[in-house]
Amino acid sequence: MEAIELILLFIASLIDLCQQQLQAGAPQIQLRLAGTSRVPNEGRLEVFYNGQWGTVCDDDFNIEVAHVVCKQLGFELAMNWAHSAKYGQGEGPIWLDNVRCSGAESSLAECESNGWGVTDCKHSEDVGILCSTTRLRPAEQPQAIAAQLFQHTKKIEEVRIKPISARAKASLPVTEGIVEVKHHGRWRQVCDNEWTIDNSRVVCGMMGFPGEVHPNTQFYRLKMLSQKKMFWIHKVACSGTEPHLANCKVQVSPKPFKPACRNGMHAIVKCVPGPNSGIGSTNNFKKAFKTMEPLVRLRSGPHAGEGRVEVLKNGKWGTVCDDKWNLQSASVVCRELGYGSAKEAVLGAQLGQGLGPIHMNEVLCTGREKSITECKFKEASIAGCQHEEDAAVRCHVAEMGYGDQIRLVGGRSTEEGKVEVQMVVRGVKKWGAVCGELWGINEAMVVCRQLGMGFANHAIQETWYWQGTPGAEDVVMSGVRCTGTEMSIQQCRHHSVVHCPRGGGRRAAGVTCTEHAPDLILNARLVQESSYLEDRPLSMLECAHEEECLSKSADDMAWPYGHRRLLRFSSQIHNNGRADFTPRNGRHTWTWHECHRHYHSIEVFTYYDLLTLNGSKVAEGHKASFCLEDSNCGKGIQKRYECANFGEQGITVGCWDTYRHDIDCQWVDITDVAPGDYIFQVILNPKFEVAESDFRNNVMRCRCKYDGRRIWMHNCHTGDAYSADLEEEFENQQRLTNNLV
């Protein structure tokens, strides 16, 4: 029987060799969607070939070609395609014309065409693509991203680590075990002949681990002496920087009836988990990545291990330009953060734009660096990069099994429903509901992330319209309070004993999830440049008084005589997310204010506070979202929201809403404030009424000095723009300076 299997394997290897030779002529290409759209699933089709980006002509283009493109980009399918440069005219060569695909190709390079660069088209005929918003699941595209950047063999479909000990089998993540590869739907063994630590590095990176160490081979040798040996791969040679084991040099087992592995030993690996893996000791990770504080972070990603790349330079966070951005550089970022290697290097701000400095461009890493700051790069200011080119990553994340401990039931789609969790009740695992009392958007964010469904759209406290699972009606979790960054709802603080006096049953917790969310950021520089003081007569403040935009002491004044001292400034609120920012409630619920003659779509949209240096509040203001609209937009983006004539309110992706300094309530009433040094603070969307991809950048702070007649505003920045150490050092310096003065 073994001889027959060896013969079949030999035949399969010959077939694979023929397929490789047929595909050897397929060039290495990358694809992207560019142009006027700001969502990642639509835009002008551009191809990177022969070191240059170019476009594709719309002649003979059809939906089958679009399907190939979308799948190569990681989406499920194409929804439509557009002719005549709908997404704007591109630049550079028109690489392909009269493209013809069957729909089964794995790359656009495999389709028929006139040939590379052979065309009679102009850029007015550039084709555009609209893909589905749903991405292919990892199981459906095991190396789809690597395939865009590397033409690798298709011998190895998937890779896994198979644990041997009973303890390892019963726990997640699996960090140590036998390497097995999948070929033609069957799992096969790998011989350890000349197996190196670089091979282990590639496998561990694919499994979501940042590092690797030498395992105890004697333990495995004793364990596997009695096991059946059926080695398919005879030898593997990796450099250690490959995105997939299939990118390494692979030698298939020799001819049938000859020993496939000289010593009969299976290849084994032992991986180093990162700090986010949930495993207690991460000493090996700390030894490999020694940093006093994080030098890189991810923002606005819908899933764990995804997001826009931001680096810390001179104490300030900034983004990375996507010129020459590749999997090797992206993998350095992923490993530095405690994940595995990168499965996708994302271009064109597909995971949201930053607001602030761009620190790096043309990053070139070898793949061995411990931090992206050790890689070669150019200053972005020299290259003239814009935030439309912000780089992002999608990392391999270790399988923790968190998704098996939670589910949504009763909803109209898989992205919504009543939350049911698995908890240990009296020593027994039990499925049940979550108490809806005090359930909020932070808790919903954790649920959606745990389920792999992106961001929370709504946190629902009453789910009487959603039927739960029979037998799981009881509340097994209550008092849940999350910061919003936990990997599972079970990691959040909650009552040790279930206590749900006003929840459960129809008031159990529920969520709706979404892949795309808005992200509001305040332009801190404009606040700093536009701030000033005004002594405004009470006769001009009647409407503002009606909307409670003045301090309480204004109630006791002899209206309309006297004045109030106001700290005024302009606000420019950008939506740098991947979905429009719109009020949660429909127009029929908006509040009409007769004095100002406008509708409030969100009653409290921003908080304005003046704080002492130790955080005590001395003055406050607020702003309702009256006339929430697109004041201006980035290049090529159309305004969608205009509140005139009871129009729709909101902020489009890539647009911003400006509240000028000279409109009512755009101030803090500081009439009763004594001269001194203060902190001025603005908080957007303070009650989390509208879900966002990132709430950490919703706070802006400035240092403020008031001498009783004039005011100086300086060091205005969003709450996450600086490192914590620099903030503390800055404040200490300011205190010292003030004492000397």
Side-chain angles (χ1 to χ4, degrees), residues 199-249:
N199 297 347
S200 297
R201 177 179 173 84
V202 173
V203 172
C204 290
M206 292 173 60
M207 298 298 107
F209 301 111
E212 68 294 325
V213 291
H214 290 284
N216 181 358
T217 56
Q218 292 303 315
F219 167 79
Y220 285 91
R221 189 174 295 276
L222 291 172
K223 278 280 185 182
M224 294 182 292
L225 281 175
S226 60
Q227 292 196 9
K228 179 181 176 182
K229 303 176 182 64
M230 178 56 66
F231 297 104
W232 179 62
I233 291 186
H234 180 57
K235 189 183 295 184
V236 178
C238 302
S239 67
T241 60
E242 293 86 353
H244 195 282
L245 198 65
N247 292 102
C248 303
K249 294 179 180 178

Side-chain angles (χ1 to χ4, degrees), residues 502-523:
R502 293 187 296 276
R506 67 183 186 87
R507 292 183 60 109
V511 299
T512 63
C513 303
T514 177
E515 279 285 322
H516 308 294
D519 184 21
L520 297 186
I521 304 178
L522 186 67
N523 186 335

Side-chain angles (χ1 to χ4, degrees), residues 420-474:
E420 292 183 350
V421 297
Q422 187 182 62
M423 299 292 291
V424 177
V425 180
R426 299 184 184 90
V428 179
K429 291 183 179 179
K430 181 180 179 180
W431 282 95
V434 179
C435 184
E437 187 176 1
L438 302 179
W439 184 257
I441 197 68
N442 279 345
E443 291 71 40
M445 281 286 188
V446 175
V447 167
C448 293
R449 182 184 302 111
Q450 185 175 355
L451 289 163
M453 294 183 179
F455 307 109
N457 200 19
H458 296 295
I460 301 164
Q461 295 183 348
E462 295 188 9
T463 54
W464 54 269
Y465 39 80
W466 286 336
Q467 188 68 37
T469 303
E473 296 88 357
D474 295 340

Side-chain angles (χ1 to χ4, degrees), residues 121-138:
C121 294
K122 298 179 180 178
H123 281 297
S124 58
E125 300 171 80
D126 286 343
V127 75
I129 304 284
L130 172 61
C131 301
S132 64
T133 57
T134 308
R135 286 189 169 272
L136 292 170
R137 294 188 296 273

Side-chain angles (χ1 to χ4, degrees), residues 540-562:
M540 303 177 69
L541 293 171
E542 291 183 359
C543 286
H545 188 226
E546 179 186 302
E547 294 194 14
E548 300 179 350
C549 295
L550 303 176
S551 299
K552 293 295 183 183
S553 62
D555 298 342
D556 303 324
M557 296 187 70
W559 286 76
Y561 307 106

